Amino acid sequence: MYPIWRLSRDGRGVRDMAGTTALPDAAAAAATGLVRLRRMAAMRAFDETCLEALRRGAIHGELHVGIGQEAVGAGMAEALRPEDAVVSTHRNHFHALAKGVDARALLAEICERATGLCGGFGGHMHPFDPATGFSATGIVGASLPVALGYAHAFRLRGQAAVAVGVTGDGGAHSGAFHETLVIAGARRLPLVVLVENNGLAISVPFDAITPTKTVAERAPAWGATGLHVDGTDVDAVAGAFARAMEHARGGGGPVILEATCHRFRGHFEGDPEGYRSRAERQHLRERHDPIALCRARLEAAGLAPATLDAILSEEKTRARAMLADVLADPLPDPSEARRHVFTETP
Amino acid sequence: MMAAAAPPDRLAMSVPATIAEAIGLEMARDPTILCIGEDIGRAGGVFGATAGLQQRFGPDRVVDTPIAEMAFAGMAVGLAQAGMRPLVEIMFADFIGVCLEQVFNAAAKIPTMSGGRVRMPVVYKTAGGCIGSAAQHSQCLWGLFAHLPGLKVVAPCNPHDHKGLMAAALRSDDPVVYIEHKALLLMKGRDFRHHPAVPDGAFTVPIGRAAVVRPGSDVTLATLSLSVEHALEAAGTLAAEGISVEVVDLRSVVPLDADTVAGSAARTGRLLVVDEDYLSFGLSAELTLRVIERLGLSGLRQVERLALPDVPIPAARTLEEAVMPGPAAIMARLRQMAKGR
Ligand SMILES: Cc1ncc(C[n+]2csc(CCOP(=O)(O)OP(=O)(O)O)c2C)c(N)n1
């Protein structure tokens, strides 16, 4: 038996639903571990491909990648069901992939192609996929009220579905966060608020700006359940996320799941990052890389290094091929620019 | 003998540095001025428009906030009522959506609601304009602010006006929305076609006065913010084709200097208003009508407007270019107008 998530170091004020799960047998654990490693590898390769697309001039607006935060995205994937909804942020690629959004269509959208998920109208901050129940917003905090809407619809229709609203730690300070949880808590709606706490809102450190050590410990104020997990540990995130979804799905009311993690790159591509040193960034990559941590754990469990390396390189190759393919797609036809809006202007 | 400090190389100075200089001079002059916003202190602003100010004036006068715009937009109202003169930075104009309440129901209305007993010396400084990044990060929105009574709305183009209008905004006893353009915030003095010298010391540019930035005789082109540079580019090209365009930089939307525009249009007989904000119910219609009110229905031979058609700005560059009123679109429209000379 082993705990499936960790509380914050002091654990103060964080309500712990901590259950334990039976230790799976070694073979099953290895299989699960490999799937998780591959998911993370695919996510990182996806975002590295976005960086390459940016270098090649295929993206002309802002780009926010999630490199370093793969364990959160990959940890979500297992417990999400097709009928669930995810509403994400400006840093949304991994959440989209976790929800099952077609990677090629997403990359094509990011690369401003006519074949993109939204025909090139939305771009990287605004991917919408009704087919998988995924959407996002570029306005911080604004994802949560939308997730609340899904949660109410699910309840109204008697569906056993859960709405997941994603926010960063920065978004957790917004009025929308509070207002959403007041309604969700009072109505015990099936809502999971996933706080991806990478410790920074652009340049502003979380602990310099907030009165509590964690976001999760505020949960009792809204009658919600608060969980805190090490967001660099994919196994811990997968366990905690599954528990949170189960709780919300079972009628237990909203959950705030806070996953502590690190953003390896700038807030956006081009961010001069004057707020942290090169050494700090180096340290994060060396000590807190969720992929390296997962890989080391699997190696320690007896998996062959070659098998693990193959997974990483296969995903890189796959992503590169996908980019080459996407860049051959046509750009949107300028004459279509006004197609999707009611407008009287010529 | 000490060598005098070399004057800053104005042409090498960025627009954000010019803005920071204006704020710094005003803060040094007036201890009631303080700045509040996201990433403005330790980081000096995402564009650098408050660079160095926190080091100079401390974290209580240059306040880094959480992403809690409703709280700090309203905090400015309370600060003003308590006798302070706050400048609030709303990082991008689009984000006003989460805190418009405090701007238009409180700051804009309180001077009137209080029967003139309460002044509202608040500056809401925000970056508008399109440099990519699609529907939620590209809007100008000066038409929106202008529609709400009680707010002055300024949108400078060149570094001189950025500095002088910032000082004027900070000295205004009425709330001012100061809208920068992201593309201009990425420019230095020497990148500008029209760049009057920027004095080192404090000075103000009066809010509500337009400037003729290029004289001409065939068409009057009135616009503001980044579009002034686009207009100058277009006018430069068309001069070689024998078309003479007079360019007017409006500099503010409220108050709107229709007199200067009408004076120019009365001479040229033709008016083109270019606006990067949405076409309908906005600056272009308002200005056109005010000019007509001044010159009469027969006072102009031709009136045209070129603005963002009423669509959310799409992400893909091909789609974005199809809707933005850039230099090519301006030139095309001017050529068309000049045919009727
Ligand atoms: C309402 C609003 N205010 C400000 C911004 C500008 N902005 C974009 S992302 C960001 C920081 C977000 O931090 P966090 O929520 O922690 O997410 P992270 O970027 O760390 O993933 C800010 C201030 C915005 N998009 N929307």
Side-chain angles (χ1 to χ4, degrees):
Chain A
M1 309 286 271
Y2 65 102
I4 56 168
W5 61 72
R6 295 179 204 150
L7 296 175
S8 60
R9 217 166 281 136
D10 65 355
R12 249 189 326 131
V14 180
R15 234 169 83 196
D16 179 13
M17 300 198 317
T20 50
T21 78
L23 190 64
D25 66 65
T32 306
L34 288 176
V35 169
R36 290 175 184 166
L37 182 71
R38 187 178 288 283
R39 271 211 182 97
M40 288 199 289
M43 287 174 175
R44 179 160 303 177
F46 185 92
D47 264 3
E48 280 172 348
T49 291
C50 292
L51 299 179
E52 177 59 21
L54 184 71
R55 280 191 289 272
R56 294 207 212 160
I59 304 170
H60 86 298
E62 261 180 283
L63 176 66
H64 313 80
V65 296
I67 292 172
Q69 305 183 187
E70 291 83 357
V72 182
M76 293 169 73
E78 287 166 35
L80 283 171
R81 296 185 188 166
E83 64 270 27
D84 296 336
V86 173
V87 186
S88 178
T89 67
H90 55 286
R91 205 178 302 287
N92 57 53
H93 303 169
F94 297 169
H95 314 131
L97 296 172
K99 191 66 184 77
V101 173
D102 179 58
R104 191 192 187 285
L106 181 63
L107 185 63
E109 184 62 31
I110 295 165
C111 292
E112 309 180 5
R113 302 288 143 166
T115 53
L117 194 63
C118 306
F121 282 83
H124 123 87
M125 271 191 282
H126 321 100
F128 292 83
D129 191 21
T132 58
F134 181 82
S135 64
T137 175
I139 305 300
V140 171
S143 53
L144 303 177
V146 178
L148 180 69
Y150 275 105
H152 189 73
F154 295 155
R155 156 74 56 79
L156 206 59
R157 297 196 297 241
Q159 283 171 278
V162 177
V164 179
V166 187
T167 174
D169 47 287
H173 306 311
S174 69
F177 185 92
H178 165 69
E179 293 175 28
T180 298
L181 277 157
V182 167
I183 296 176
R187 307 183 75 94
R188 296 182 76 74
L189 292 177
L191 174 73
V192 171
V193 172
L194 175 63
V195 181
E196 218 170 0
N197 186 346
N198 60 18
L200 282 173
I202 309 188
S203 73
V204 179
F206 178 73
D207 49 14
I209 214 80
T210 188
T212 57
K213 277 217 158 66
T214 66
V215 176
E217 71 193 77
R218 303 178 198 155
W222 300 290
T225 300
L227 301 176
H228 188 279
V229 70
D230 175 355
T232 64
D233 179 342
V234 68
D235 299 325
V237 176
F241 190 74
R243 273 307 176 100
M245 294 296 279
E246 198 183 307
H247 184 85
R249 211 183 295 280
V255 180
I256 299 175
L257 171 57
E258 177 176 11
T260 317
C261 54
H262 304 283
R263 140 163 88 68
F264 288 176
R265 298 187 61 86
H267 170 70
F268 65 100
E269 290 310 310
D271 179 357
E273 283 186 85
Y275 48 85
R276 60 179 177 183
S277 68
R278 187 179 277 272
E280 256 173 277
R281 279 181 280 158
Q282 188 73 18
H283 172 83
L284 291 179
R285 282 182 182 273
E286 280 164 11
R287 303 295 299 276
H288 298 284
D289 182 348
I291 295 181
L293 293 171
C294 176
R295 191 190 178 289
R297 184 175 296 172
L298 292 170
E299 210 178 313
L303 285 155
T307 310
L308 304 175
D309 289 339
I311 289 179
L312 303 183
S313 67
E314 277 163 27
E315 291 306 324
K316 261 190 200 150
T317 309
R318 197 196 308 274
R320 279 203 202 109
M322 187 165 71
L323 178 64
D325 203 36
V326 160
L327 292 185
D329 286 353
L331 296 168
D333 180 345
S335 70
E336 302 263 285
R338 304 175 200 193
R339 185 169 155 202
H340 301 294
V341 66
F342 172 79
T343 172
E344 303 165 297
T345 54
Chain B
M1 222 173 69
M2 285 214 335
D9 177 0
R10 292 286 166 190
L11 290 180
M13 242 171 113
S14 69
V15 169
T18 316
I19 297 168
E21 186 176 75
I23 299 172
L25 285 164
E26 293 306 304
M27 288 183 80
R29 196 184 53 78
D30 182 347
T32 66
I33 297 176
L34 74 166
C35 303
I36 308 168
E38 293 152 18
D39 301 276
I40 66 164
R42 210 165 68 108
V46 288
F47 290 95
T50 48
L53 296 178
Q54 193 181 64
Q55 288 92 313
R56 242 176 107 191
F57 298 104
D60 291 332
R61 280 187 74 196
V62 182
V63 183
D64 274 319
T65 65
I67 306 170
E69 285 92 354
M70 175 71 104
F72 64 80
M75 193 177 158
V77 173
L79 280 159
Q81 290 185 176
M84 305 298 286
R85 304 180 74 88
L87 176 149
V88 167
E89 176 168 304
I90 304 295
M91 194 181 290
F92 284 11
D94 313 72
F95 310 155
I96 202 69
V98 303
C99 61
L100 188 58
E101 153 56 24
Q102 294 288 349
V103 178
F104 92 112
N105 263 330
K109 292 179 181 170
I110 285 173
T112 297
M113 293 194 296
S114 68
R117 300 183 67 203
V118 179
R119 303 312 304 170
M120 217 19 85
V122 180
V123 178
Y124 291 104
K125 164 183 163 324
T126 187
C130 182
I131 52 167
S133 299
Q136 295 183 333
H137 284 65
S138 300
Q139 300 171 99
C140 293
L141 297 184
W142 40 67
L144 173 78
F145 292 111
H147 187 67
L148 307 169
L151 301 168
K152 292 179 183 168
V153 183
V154 307
C157 179
N158 60 62
H160 171 273
D161 291 352
H162 273 91
K163 184 171 175 184
L165 282 169
M166 175 49 78
L170 286 167
R171 294 180 195 190
S172 166
D173 286 334
D174 296 308
V176 178
V177 182
Y178 179 98
I179 305 176
E180 304 145 319
H181 194 292
K182 297 177 204 86
L184 297 174
L185 291 174
L186 298 173
M187 284 164 64
K188 293 184 166 43
R190 69 166 59 91
D191 303 330
F192 285 82
R193 287 180 173 76
H194 176 75
H195 47 83
V198 186
D200 294 342
F203 69 96
T204 58
V205 168
I207 297 176
R209 221 167 290 158
V212 175
V213 295
R214 181 186 170 107
S217 54
D218 293 331
V219 183
T220 297
L221 192 170
T223 188
L224 79 178
S225 190
L226 175 67
S227 298
V228 172
E229 281 292 308
H230 289 165
L232 290 168
E233 182 184 340
T237 305
L238 293 185
E241 299 173 21
I243 303 169
S244 169
V245 181
E246 179 148 302
V247 179
V248 181
D249 179 353
L250 296 165
R251 303 200 283 196
S252 64
V253 182
V254 181
L256 184 58
D257 185 357
D259 287 337
T260 295
V261 180
S264 169
R267 275 186 288 105
T268 62
R270 292 190 166 73
L271 174 63
L272 171 63
V273 183
V274 175
D275 186 6
E276 194 187 316
D277 199 1
Y278 301 116
L279 177 74
S280 295
F281 311 102
L283 171 64
S284 59
E286 187 63 37
L287 180 57
T288 303
L289 191 68
R290 288 196 198 183
V291 169
I292 291 171
E293 281 168 348
R294 280 162 176 75
L295 301 182
L297 280 171
S298 53
L300 287 168
R301 270 170 293 166
Q302 206 174 358
V303 184
E304 296 264 340
R305 53 194 181 130
L306 180 63
L308 193 61
D310 303 325
V311 298
I313 298 167
R317 193 196 292 271
T318 51
L319 299 172
E320 180 194 294
E321 282 173 356
V323 299
M324 294 305 294
I330 296 173
M331 266 183 263
R333 188 65 69 91
L334 285 168
R335 282 196 188 101
Q336 206 183 320
M337 290 177 78
K339 277 199 191 122
R341 271 180 301 176

